[in-house]
Amino acid sequence: MGWDVAWPWLLGILIGGYLIGSIPFGLLVVKAFGMGDVRKIGSGNIGTTNVLRTGSKLAAFLTLLLDGGKGAVAVLIAWSLYGGTAAQVAALGAFLGHLYPVWLSFKGGKGVATFLGVILALHWPAGALCCLTWLAIAGVFRISSLSALVAAVLSPVWLFATGGDPIIWLSVVLALLVVLKHRENIARLIAGTEPKIGRKS
């Protein structure tokens, strides 16, 4: 993927991706289900894992689907209009939008579903391997944060193995942001106090 779009257009694409990624689907879904403000439940996060703590698997599934979907949609729109470079920029914008949404005073989710969505849209074989990695780790350890961290950190490996070299550096940046957003989880993992998937508190 070469630099096939002038930088002013790329800036616009970054902003467009950011606005799409900023849509707080976890918050909206929980409110739509009449369960209040997800930010006042569990960890206070707006992502899938915390939505699951409401007790509604459907709400959690919809959050996962929508958060992943918004990342994929941003990528696919940019790719169809302007090509591969634009798609990568849109992916970064959507991911940053989820992490730091303007509508929620820049306090968003941890980006796992959106990360998976953009990787799937950019290079689906590696994206599929990331999803399988998440599922495998979750199945063994039942810890969402550990699954997310392993899937994110291994994403450059899966890209290299499946011919997705052009987006490896983007995946490295996204993975580092995932790790950064999970720093409290990492501390709890080390301490052995990280909650299991589905735990409500």
Side-chain angles (χ1 to χ4, degrees):
M1 298 179 187
W3 292 98
D4 43 14
V5 183
W7 73 264
W9 284 100
L10 291 177
L11 180 60
I13 292 163
L14 180 71
I15 294 171
Y18 173 84
L19 293 175
I20 293 173
S22 289
I23 302 171
F25 282 118
L27 179 66
L28 297 175
V29 167
V30 171
K31 282 184 178 290
F33 274 60
M35 295 183 292
D37 189 337
V38 71
R39 294 170 295 179
K40 297 179 181 178
I41 298 169
S43 67
N45 193 267
I46 63 169
T48 301
T49 300
N50 200 47
V51 171
L52 186 59
R53 294 189 179 105
T54 65
S56 173
K57 293 181 180 179
L58 178 58
F61 174 75
L62 289 174
T63 300
L64 174 66
L65 191 66
L66 291 168
D67 279 348
K70 69 185 179 184
V73 165
V75 167
L76 294 174
I77 290 174
W79 203 324
S80 66
L81 293 176
Y82 302 108
T85 298
Q88 290 195 59
V89 171
L92 178 61
F95 190 72
L96 291 173
H98 181 79
L99 299 186
Y100 309 106
V102 63
W103 328 112
L104 301 179
S105 302
F106 304 103
K107 297 177 182 178
K110 296 181 180 178
V112 179
T114 306
F115 171 83
L116 293 174
V118 300
I119 297 295
L120 278 166
L122 287 167
H123 189 73
W124 72 263
L129 286 171
C130 287
C131 292
L132 290 173
T133 300
W134 191 99
L135 289 170
I137 300 300
V140 173
F141 297 100
R142 304 295 298 168
I143 301 177
S144 179
S145 60
L146 180 62
S147 306
L149 289 164
V150 174
V153 169
L154 286 180
S155 62
V157 176
W158 298 144
L159 284 163
F160 179 77
T162 58
D165 302 47
I167 64 168
I168 284 178
W169 286 112
L170 173 64
S171 75
V172 169
V173 171
L174 299 186
L176 287 173
L177 287 169
V178 169
V179 171
L180 177 65
K181 292 292 285 187
H182 281 80
R183 57 192 182 277
E184 293 180 1
N185 303 85
I186 293 170
R188 289 193 295 269
L189 284 167
I190 293 171
T193 59
E194 183 72 341
K196 302 286 186 176
I197 291 172
R199 182 173 159 186
K200 291 187 179 183
S201 61

